[in-house]
Amino acid sequence: MSSKAVFDDLLQEEREFPPSPEFAAAAVVSDKAIYDRAAKDPVAFWEEMAKELEWFAPWKEVMSWTPPDVKWFTGGKLNLTHNCLDRHLKTATRNKAALIWEGENFETRTMTYQQLHTEVCKFANAIRSLGVAKGDRVAIYMPMMIEAVVAMLACARIGAIHSIVFGGFSPESLSDRINDAEAKLLITADGGWRRGNVLRLKDEADKALAKCTCIENVVVVKRPLGEPFPCHIKEGRDHWYHRLMADASPDCPPETMDAEDPLYILYTSGTTGKPKGIVHTTGGYSVGTYATTKYVFDLKPEDVYWCTADVGWVTGHSYIVYGPLQCGATNLIFEGAPNWPENDRFWEMVARHRVNVFYTAPTAIRAFMKWGDDLPAKHDLSSLRLLGSVGEPINPEAWMWYHEHIGGGTCPIVDTWWQTETGGIMITTLPGVCTAKPGYAGLPFPGIQATILNEAGEEVTGGTGLLAITHPWPSMLRTIWGDHDRYVSTYFSKWDKSVYFPGDGAKRDAKGNFMILGRVDDVLNVSGHRIGTMEVESALVDHPAVAEAAVIGKKHDIKGQSIVAFVTLKGGATRSEKTESDLKQHVVEKIGAIARPEAIIIGGDLPKTRSGKIMRRLLRDIVEGRTASDTTTLADPSVFEEIREMYEEKFKS
Ligand code: WT7
């Protein structure tokens, strides 16, 4: 893995936004001393957080660390659903809305904590009756519906390990993930609505199932409300959710889980063609998501909280389901898209549901900017008191727009840096005590120790370097499913094996605030979605016409990055617009629509060294509009010029 230390570091940001005195006075954290206290003894800080949750048996040791492996709350017993559900049944939270769901067609359903508890217990019994037991893997492939949350919690209730695959992934991506985890149950739905179209998930799942031998049973949720979508039900294998639920008992005591028992697997892209199954455990993940939700989102019992992510991504796991439910929050969840039926859907919803805390991605914010200031201005957004951002660096221009046009110039913004692997938020501002700076994520969360290192592992004090996490934290991944060596080599081999390497570039200001500058490895971030260049390259060379492929991320105004592919064809294949569109479609079929290349340049050859290695650096120069950095090792300079001309022709506007 080579670090291309080419950062967009021209930015000098000096604007500062402290919280208003009113916000600070009412905040969950109103004393900055928490940082010093946690820094002195991070392990004691996390133990204090853990004590706010309910455990069936206490831990014997808070942390045991044999780098790079770590265990948290060793010997402690708990069940995460007890802290999400049962614990609240003893208080007034019992009758509070846990989930407010809104469908694309404006239907709404509300479920209280008590109702959610009943639903989860029944479904837990239902999947048990299908032979699912503690430690078994369950794949979930669902649209944004209440039953997706129920499915996750039902797994956690009985100690089954869920593996959610985002509904936008292709059948092939789904079958790869099912097979890697050897899941025995798949939970899916007949379909959902997306921008006026029906997403027929069961049909997609059926295509995947043709390539899976490990799946024994499939549960299919019929989308509640509205017309159901027709789909095929295979007798003996497929079961309707509502039929199972009609017979299920609501009595399901939570399985006693060890703190280190796996809770879930979530696949994410890396630098090879094969996604990594990130494994999170029960105890540490509970504590990490609980503490960060409470402190970063400053949740008050009366708040309506809306995170616009999908449960298919880690943001949905940690900040729609596990963190907010442990905090007893009221969660708005939305099936649809921000631009359906109109571009002001989100603001119309914020006004109608009186949303207080709103968490979204920079790519969405940049789209809102483009759609115009008049759209948020049409709606009463005065209920909002805190805004969040996640998924990629937020450019200061988008930060300022969010602040002014959504936050009314008063809401603090928390820019939260974290990853699928970290389980929870790692770097951000605590909104009641920190001064935010556009473009800066802020300080490591209390109990998190981060720094910036160079390749040699020396600390960088001024200027840019590589982000490094120097101490374990409870919600960190414990392994990659079935491949512990890859865990060690990806995350703990850059420097000392006690230091976690996230793969991001960063710099710090004089006060220690971190600005995250983006990935330094071969991982792209397209609209906040993580996609490996190698995955797209593998999908392209899988096409019968393609000989070679190289994929580069191109800066994109709304998406952050878009995908540009350079390919050469096998003898006999013709270079044409039809070939280009066929190849794009092939990538969509292999991975999913999120990986569709913006452009494919079909050259006679790719720039290579004399030993035949593709020089991606030169392709990056083309895409970034730079003069070629160093062409001396290039075998045939005319190849490079031909490709550059083709590229410029394609993008001239
Ligand atoms: C990568 C992780 C975190 C949940 C969603 C994405 C980038 C994420 C920020 C931020 C700058 C960010 C990083 C990171 N990233 N949040 N606030 N500022 N960059 O999770 O798919 O695991 O991707 O997203 O590059 O490494 P993910």
Side-chain angles (χ1 to χ4, degrees):
M1 205 183 325
S2 72
S3 312
K4 57 162 169 77
V6 199
F7 301 128
D8 203 0
D9 184 33
L10 303 169
L11 188 73
Q12 289 299 325
E13 181 59 58
E14 293 311 330
R15 284 170 292 195
E16 295 197 326
F17 297 88
S20 68
E22 302 80 62
F23 188 97
V28 172
V29 181
S30 53
D31 186 353
K32 232 182 162 173
I34 190 173
Y35 282 106
D36 291 337
R37 190 158 52 84
K40 277 197 196 96
D41 192 346
V43 175
F45 171 80
W46 290 115
E47 179 169 37
E48 202 184 294
M49 293 294 106
K51 285 182 177 160
E52 293 188 16
L53 298 173
E54 289 182 1
W55 296 72
F56 302 151
W59 49 90
K60 296 193 177 69
E61 204 180 352
V62 185
M63 181 188 82
S64 45
W65 187 17
T66 321
D69 297 309
V70 70
K71 291 190 170 105
W72 282 89
F73 311 110
T74 331
K77 308 283 181 200
L78 77 167
N79 186 295
L80 179 42
T81 71
H82 174 88
N83 282 308
C84 288
L85 301 169
D86 307 56
R87 188 166 57 110
H88 303 311
L89 304 189
K90 295 176 279 191
T91 70
T93 308
R94 174 181 168 218
N95 295 318
K96 185 183 171 188
L99 300 171
I100 301 173
W101 173 84
E102 178 156 320
E104 182 165 282
N105 305 319
F106 297 91
E107 318 93 312
T108 60
R109 291 167 76 204
T110 299
M111 205 174 264
T112 65
Y113 275 89
Q114 175 72 67
Q115 290 168 329
L116 185 60
H117 178 270
T118 305
E119 193 85 359
V120 168
C121 287
K122 286 171 74 173
F123 193 53
N125 281 325
I127 61 176
R128 243 188 201 146
S129 74
L130 295 174
V132 178
K134 181 173 176 175
D136 287 342
R137 274 79 60 209
V138 174
I140 299 177
Y141 186 58
M142 293 175 83
M144 282 298 284
M145 51 165 58
I146 284 180
E147 287 72 12
V149 180
V150 172
M152 295 166 75
L153 293 170
C155 290
R157 189 79 175 171
I158 64 170
I161 302 169
H162 60 68
S163 166
I164 307 190
V165 181
F166 172 59
F169 275 120
S170 67
E172 184 155 338
S173 294
L174 174 60
S175 61
D176 285 349
R177 286 159 175 76
I178 287 175
N179 290 334
D180 187 77
E182 295 174 284
K184 64 196 284 196
L185 176 72
L186 171 67
I187 306 170
T188 185
D190 55 354
W193 288 97
R194 191 75 187 165
R195 291 196 185 94
N197 296 313
V198 180
L199 194 70
R200 289 189 193 278
L201 272 184
K202 177 61 164 65
D203 291 356
E204 297 296 288
D206 281 337
K207 291 181 212 154
L209 288 167
K211 290 187 196 152
C212 302
T213 51
C214 48
I215 293 287
E216 296 166 4
N217 290 288
V218 178
V219 177
V220 188
V221 180
K222 188 184 286 203
R223 184 183 179 280
L225 309 179
E227 289 292 301
F229 311 118
C231 65
H232 175 69
I233 293 292
K234 185 172 166 184
E235 280 310 316
R237 185 195 69 184
D238 300 352
H239 314 267
W240 284 109
Y241 176 90
H242 57 276
R243 298 245 173 90
L244 294 172
M245 291 295 270
D247 299 331
S249 157
D251 182 22
C252 183
E255 185 80 39
T256 299
M257 303 298 287
D258 193 88
E260 284 294 313
D261 279 338
L263 174 70
Y264 69 78
I265 304 171
L266 182 60
Y267 285 85
T268 190
S269 296
T271 51
T272 74
K274 187 175 150 55
K276 306 175 277 197
I278 303 302
V279 177
H280 283 293
T281 51
T282 308
Y285 181 81
S286 299
V287 174
T289 53
Y290 166 75
T292 49
T293 304
K294 178 175 166 181
Y295 288 163
V296 177
F297 297 112
D298 192 57
L299 288 179
K300 306 287 162 40
E302 64 274 21
D303 280 337
V304 173
Y305 163 83
W306 184 15
C307 165
T308 68
D310 187 286
V311 289
W313 307 110
V314 74
T315 307
H317 287 61
S318 299
Y319 298 112
I320 292 179
V321 182
Y322 293 115
L325 294 181
Q326 286 190 97
C327 290
T330 293
N331 247 313
L332 178 62
I333 63 176
F334 178 44
E335 176 185 42
N339 54 352
W340 189 270
E342 302 293 340
N343 289 350
D344 63 348
R345 179 65 184 266
F346 275 13
W347 317 129
E348 188 275 319
M349 283 179 66
V350 166
R352 183 157 39 82
H353 292 277
R354 308 303 294 150
V355 172
N356 307 103
V357 179
F358 178 76
Y359 190 31
T360 198
T363 182
I365 298 166
R366 289 189 298 263
F368 301 142
M369 286 173 72
K370 196 180 105 187
W371 295 339
D373 303 353
D374 53 317
L375 295 181
K378 275 198 337 214
H379 299 279
D380 175 7
L381 305 181
S382 61
S383 56
L384 290 172
R385 60 176 196 85
L386 176 63
L387 304 175
S389 170
V390 62
E392 53 177 311
I394 177 165
N395 46 308
E397 196 195 351
W399 198 104
M400 289 304 300
W401 187 89
Y402 198 29
H403 175 74
E404 282 166 27
H405 296 277
I406 307 304
T410 57
C411 300
I413 297 178
V414 289
D415 174 5
T416 61
W417 176 85
W418 59 294
Q419 307 178 298
T420 304
E421 291 88 338
T422 69
I425 294 168
M426 300 291 280
I427 298 179
T428 192
T429 45
L430 290 181
V433 294
C434 295
T435 292
K437 279 169 71 170
Y440 282 84
L443 301 171
F445 186 81
I448 301 296
Q449 303 200 335
T451 188
I452 298 177
L453 301 178
N454 62 18
E455 287 282 338
E458 295 146 353
E459 186 156 0
V460 175
T461 43
T464 67
L466 304 168
L467 184 60
I469 315 293
T470 54
H471 188 279
W473 64 103
S475 67
M476 65 192 278
L477 78 167
R478 297 295 191 276
T479 190
I480 290 173
W481 184 260
D483 197 349
H484 198 65
D485 289 346
R486 190 172 177 194
Y487 163 84
V488 178
S489 64
T490 307
Y491 305 111
F492 295 96
S493 299
K494 183 112 198 140
W495 307 289
D496 185 275
K497 64 177 182 292
S498 64
V499 181
Y500 173 81
F501 171 55
D504 279 300
K507 68 171 189 177
R508 252 180 307 202
D509 71 4
K511 292 182 181 138
N513 290 304
F514 285 74
M515 172 181 280
I516 311 296
L517 300 159
R519 304 288 309 192
V520 294
D521 55 11
D522 294 324
V523 170
L524 306 178
N525 192 327
V526 180
S527 301
H529 302 318
R530 193 160 147 183
I531 298 167
T533 51
M534 276 285 286
E535 269 175 274
V536 183
E537 289 170 10
S538 310
L540 285 166
V541 295
D542 175 80
H543 190 279
V546 174
E548 290 175 305
V551 162
I552 306 289
K554 175 179 163 62
K555 208 167 167 343
H556 188 281
D557 284 349
I558 306 266
K559 297 177 177 179
Q561 281 186 306
S562 69
I563 297 172
V564 176
F566 296 85
V567 306
T568 60
L569 301 179
K570 287 181 183 155
T574 38
R575 295 198 222 173
S576 67
E577 264 171 39
K578 164 97 173 47
T579 315
E580 185 181 343
S581 66
D582 286 352
L583 295 183
K584 285 183 185 173
Q585 192 49 33
H586 191 70
V587 174
V588 172
E589 277 161 24
K590 296 292 282 184
I591 304 176
I594 55 168
R596 183 194 298 275
E598 184 186 355
I600 298 185
I601 314 293
I602 306 175
D605 200 356
L606 294 177
K608 290 188 192 129
T609 60
R610 271 164 223 124
S611 60
K613 216 172 151 271
I614 299 173
M615 294 184 72
R616 287 184 171 69
R617 174 171 59 81
L618 294 181
L619 295 172
R620 233 174 263 135
D621 288 338
I622 295 180
V623 168
E624 284 160 16
R626 280 193 300 261
T627 45
S629 28
D630 178 7
T631 52
T632 45
T633 49
L634 198 57
D636 180 356
S638 69
V639 164
F640 177 71
E641 286 313 321
E642 183 207 26
I643 292 177
R644 184 206 287 283
E645 274 162 31
M646 290 176 71
Y647 179 88
E648 280 165 4
E649 179 64 28
K650 173 143 268 162
F651 281 97
K652 74 159 191 256
S653 50

